[in-house]
Amino acid sequence: MDSEQLREYGHQMVDFIADYYKTIETFPVLSQVQPGYLKQLLPDSPPTHAEPLQNVLHDVQAKILPGVTHWQSPNFFAYYPSSSSVAGFLGEMLSAGLNIVGFSWITSPAATELEMIVLDWLAKLLKLPEDFLSSGQGGGVIQGTASEAVVVVLVAARDMVLKRVGRNALEKLVVYASDQTHSAVQKACQIAGIHPENFRALKTNSSTNYTLSPDTLTEAISYDIAIGLIPFFLCATVGTTSSTAVDPLPSLGDIAKKNGIWFHIDAAYAGSACICPEYRHYIDGVELADSFNMNAHKWFLTNFDCSALWVKDRNALIQSLSTNPEYLKNKASQTNTVVDYKDWQIPLGRRFRSLKLWMVLRLYGVENLQSYFRNHIKLAEKFETLVARDPRFQVVTPRIFSLVCFRLLSPENTEEEGNKLNRDLLENVNSSGKIFISHTVLSGKYILRFAVGAPLVEERHVIEAWEVINVKASDLLKTR
């Protein structure tokens, strides 16, 4: 590492990225390239001799950026946000510069201790129970994604119950979630060896706004116990992927406790907004949970990846995930006076991700973060109002946070035609390159999703997005 070359190239790279953000609205939001496009543009083998950075940046501009879908564009309204910020970027840069591999305390004490402190800060902002703080038996850990978080807690829950009932009972273990729960839970079951037929994706419907019914859960658990199965894990969601449904945590938590079931809460998207007092009630019931997860990299201005997971009993994770080979032994670890995060996750190595979250919290402060979430929710409310005013459209589910679920009504009033109409509308809107939205299916109906969350989004972008949708809808209806 040549420090002067780093200074020179670093300035060029920062300038390149700053210029990218300055011109980001000039790019089609959704990449318009065809599969395999890049193979036609790049050589078959790497260069024999070093090339100047300017040549590489030229290729990024000419060949890579056309194949990028621009998640940070203010006209990106698909999926859920993956927000970046100056603070998050600086934290990422510092992490890359230090380039530590902080699997145990001794490998970089600051990495472990800052992670503990910052996740305690965030837990206090969310008003999580003291059981989730590092001062007790639990604590927080940064995972890569919510998918990784649910794997580690499901494995911990599995091993706890198998220790009690015997390893041969694996085929009897049952996992519960709703049919709106993220597919990560199903994947976690596959990884953990849960038999596919023992994953219960319990049906939801519009009468409860697609939340998991406590009665449905109770009935499923009672049935499984009656036929000799062992309920052991429940995942509830605060802000489902399809429609931001919020499961009734207090009721579900009570059921889980009565039946000795590990209760996990996935608040990957909506958890961020719960640092605002007016939205905190959506995680009431978290005191009954064994684990709680939110993605700081979704809405909390922390560059990907940074998924915060808290557990009430850290030993449950450690007993399932710990390894202690001779080459990793050290005095601090052997005396049990420190946290070794390698035992709280799937991989051994880990990056200094807490720097990003620390930077975000310090450079913006709580008040600015709260205003940021409130502004996005206000902009989503604006879009919802625009949709509701147009009789050709329908708002499908109540808007809670910054997602609006809507659809264009079919003149023929049939489900099949309605679904085709909305599929065509989505394709026409996204192929324009002006905005990018995504879809879901609820109760058999094809639904369009408009998620406000890009860091650069303003009210004008929301209004312009509605105009694009409006024009494309008018064009489609003329052909019907």
Side-chain angles (χ1 to χ4, degrees):
M1 173 71 76
D2 182 284
S3 60
E4 290 309 311
Q5 184 186 58
L6 173 63
R7 194 184 311 278
E8 178 189 349
Y9 282 8
H11 279 298
Q12 290 182 50
M13 185 61 76
V14 168
D15 285 344
F16 182 88
I17 294 169
D19 288 342
Y20 165 71
Y21 275 96
K22 192 173 182 178
T23 60
I24 196 168
E25 290 187 59
T26 65
F27 296 97
V29 187
L30 178 65
S31 174
Q32 305 294 303
V33 302
Q34 296 300 312
Y37 90 100
L38 195 56
K39 189 175 177 64
Q40 312 301 317
L41 300 178
L42 295 183
D44 292 336
S45 56
T48 303
H49 303 291
E51 297 183 47
L53 178 60
Q54 278 304 116
N55 288 13
V56 178
L57 292 181
H58 177 271
D59 279 352
V60 172
Q61 187 75 44
K63 301 171 184 177
I64 301 300
L65 288 185
V68 168
T69 290
H70 299 276
W71 283 69
Q72 305 312 310
S73 169
N75 296 308
F76 184 100
F77 300 103
Y79 311 118
Y80 279 135
S82 179
S83 58
S84 66
S85 65
V86 171
F89 175 79
L90 293 176
E92 189 72 75
M93 181 186 282
L94 185 56
S95 176
L98 297 175
N99 201 33
I100 63 101
V101 185
F103 48 82
S104 60
W105 179 85
I106 196 173
T107 60
S108 272
T112 296
E113 296 192 15
L114 183 63
E115 188 160 331
M116 295 169 69
I117 290 166
V118 169
L119 288 181
D120 279 351
W121 283 4
L122 189 50
K124 290 172 184 176
L125 288 181
L126 291 164
K127 294 183 169 54
L128 298 185
E130 290 190 2
D131 293 343
F132 286 120
L133 300 179
S134 62
S135 54
Q137 296 302 307
V141 56
I142 296 176
Q143 304 285 341
T145 66
S147 299
E148 293 170 45
V150 75
V151 168
V152 299
V153 296
L154 190 141
V155 167
R158 178 201 66 186
D159 289 352
M160 282 179 64
V161 72
L162 289 179
K163 187 175 181 180
R164 189 178 77 245
V165 302
R167 305 293 299 185
N168 292 333
L170 179 62
E171 65 184 16
K172 296 183 178 181
L173 301 188
V174 186
V175 171
Y176 301 88
S178 85
D179 59 2
Q180 300 300 306
T181 303
H182 195 280
S183 61
V185 177
Q186 182 180 356
K187 182 179 284 191
C189 289
Q190 293 169 201
I191 293 169
I194 305 304
H195 286 215
E197 63 270 21
N198 288 347
F199 171 58
R200 306 278 182 263
L202 302 175
K203 280 198 170 295
T204 61
N205 57 58
S206 59
S207 68
T208 60
N209 291 323
Y210 301 98
T211 63
L212 177 55
S213 161
D215 290 342
T216 301
L217 176 63
T218 299
E219 184 180 337
I221 291 172
S222 298
Y223 176 80
D224 286 334
I225 292 173
I227 62 173
L229 299 179
I230 304 172
F232 86 102
F233 189 89
L234 167 65
C235 180
T237 307
V238 177
T240 57
T241 302
S242 283
S243 65
T244 62
V246 177
D247 288 332
L249 304 185
S251 300
L252 299 178
D254 284 339
I255 295 167
K257 292 302 136 192
K258 287 174 185 174
N259 290 278
I261 294 172
W262 183 293
F263 183 35
H264 176 65
I265 297 174
D266 174 3
Y269 158 69
S272 296
C274 295
I275 72 164
C276 300
E278 66 269 33
Y279 297 107
R280 170 57 179 77
H281 68 276
Y282 286 113
I283 58 170
D284 285 352
V286 67
E287 64 276 4
L288 299 169
D290 297 284
S291 50
F292 179 86
N293 173 234
M294 65 155 276
N295 284 348
H297 62 241
K298 269 195 168 65
W299 202 4
F300 210 83
L301 287 172
T302 307
N303 294 41
F304 188 82
D305 56 356
C306 186
S307 183
L309 170 68
W310 291 270
V311 292
K312 278 186 177 174
D313 179 10
R314 71 182 73 163
N315 286 325
L317 290 185
I318 293 169
Q319 288 172 16
S320 287
L321 302 170
S322 176
T323 57
N324 192 29
E326 184 63 35
Y327 49 80
L328 295 182
K329 290 180 180 178
N330 62 85
K331 184 178 178 181
S333 297
Q334 297 302 107
T335 55
N336 290 320
T337 56
V338 296
V339 165
D340 288 337
Y341 275 128
K342 70 179 178 64
D343 300 327
W344 297 44
Q345 62 176 25
I346 298 166
L348 173 67
R350 61 199 329 269
R351 300 170 61 243
F352 201 164
R353 287 179 291 215
S354 58
L355 282 172
K356 294 183 287 190
L357 191 51
W358 189 50
M359 286 278 204
V360 166
L361 288 166
R362 291 193 65 186
L363 294 186
Y364 298 133
V366 176
E367 287 185 351
N368 282 331
L369 288 166
Q370 290 172 333
S371 296
Y372 178 75
F373 304 134
R374 288 170 179 143
N375 180 55
H376 284 166
I377 293 169
K378 182 180 177 182
L379 293 178
E381 186 177 2
K382 171 71 176 180
F383 183 81
E384 179 186 39
T385 300
L386 293 170
V387 175
R389 283 178 183 168
D390 192 324
R392 302 173 303 167
F393 287 86
Q394 174 192 20
V395 176
V396 178
T397 58
R399 182 201 49 77
I400 301 176
F401 300 103
S402 65
L403 173 72
V404 179
C405 291
F406 69 106
R407 70 196 309 257
L408 179 61
L409 297 174
S410 168
E412 297 182 17
N413 202 28
T414 66
E415 186 173 295
E416 182 180 354
E417 173 57 26
N419 288 347
K420 184 179 187 308
L421 183 66
N422 282 277
R423 272 195 298 268
D424 291 346
L425 178 56
L426 182 77
E427 172 64 26
N428 292 354
V429 165
N430 288 341
S431 63
S432 74
K434 294 177 180 178
I435 67 170
F436 181 32
I437 60 175
S438 55
H439 81 282
T440 190
V441 174
L442 295 171
S443 299
K445 294 180 179 179
Y446 194 94
I447 308 297
L448 305 182
R449 297 171 71 263
F450 188 90
V452 179
L456 297 172
V457 69
E458 300 172 6
E459 183 173 342
R460 67 180 177 87
H461 298 109
V462 171
I463 293 171
E464 288 166 6
W466 171 243
E467 289 172 356
V468 171
I469 294 168
N470 202 355
V471 168
K472 296 297 183 184
S474 296
D475 291 344
L476 263 181
L477 290 173
K478 288 175 185 175
T479 65
R480 274 1 192 222

